[in-house]
Amino acid sequence: MKKNRFVFRSVILLILVGALAFTLYQNFFTETEQVEIGKKAPDFLVTDMNGSKISLSDLQGKGVLLNFWGTWCKPCEKEMPYMNELYASYKEKGIEMIALNADETEIAVKNFVNQYGLTFPIAIDKGQEILNTYGVGPLPTTFLIDASGTVVKQITGTQTKEQLEEYIKGIVPE
């Protein structure tokens, strides 16, 4: 009986030590792509709610507002109608807006989109891969990317319509 208990405890201890070693290795010895202001934005490929493929590299030559959000996020809920309104005004001026949901169900996202009548491209970041690549913490987080694909600004938190418009004006292609 004591021998079985000793073996069981030893196995659990080995698993815990292994998990700790793996965590330390991941945090200190693996390189992660970090998004930096003034550097090229990491490319990604997603499928929006209409079934269209969206790749950041395909948007070269356009200013891009890349927004990370969640249906449960009250600040996100507040700024989405502003983004929708501004998209209608700035699409013809070479601006694209992409809202990447933080890995919620398709039903929840579709209900949100329908509730607010959103018309700009919205996709779900399955597994939060893009969110992690971009180093997104709190939601909403928005990245402004210029026509050359360079990250110009990162914005965390809710924005007013006026603030969003000022930021968008800064990435309108010439």
Side-chain angles (χ1 to χ4, degrees), residues 87-147:
Y87 181 67
S89 303
Y90 283 90
K91 182 175 173 50
E92 299 301 318
K93 296 178 182 177
I95 294 294
E96 278 298 330
M97 290 185 189
I98 304 166
L100 291 179
N101 176 271
D103 197 18
E104 293 182 74
T105 66
E106 194 169 320
I107 292 170
V109 174
K110 279 185 178 180
N111 286 342
F112 186 94
V113 168
N114 292 336
Q115 179 182 351
Y116 290 96
L118 303 177
T119 58
F120 59 95
I122 295 175
I124 299 171
D125 182 12
K126 305 272 187 210
Q128 299 186 356
E129 288 181 34
I130 303 166
L131 185 133
N132 291 331
T133 298
Y134 275 73
V136 173
L139 298 179
T141 295
T142 302
F143 289 88
L144 298 167
I145 303 166
D146 69 13

Side-chain angles (χ1 to χ4, degrees), residues 48 50 52 54 59 62-66 79-99 117-122 161 164-165 168-169 171-172:
D48 72 11
N50 297 323
S52 301
I54 301 171
L59 300 176
K62 295 184 176 190
V64 177
L65 184 145
L66 177 61
E79 73 180 9
M80 282 294 201
Y82 302 146
M83 291 171 55
N84 198 50
E85 198 175 321
L86 292 169
Y87 181 67
S89 303
Y90 283 90
K91 182 175 173 50
E92 299 301 318
K93 296 178 182 177
I95 294 294
E96 278 298 330
M97 290 185 189
I98 304 166
L118 303 177
T119 58
F120 59 95
I122 295 175
K161 181 182 171 188
L164 281 169
E165 188 163 21
I168 290 169
K169 286 178 182 176
I171 58 170
V172 171

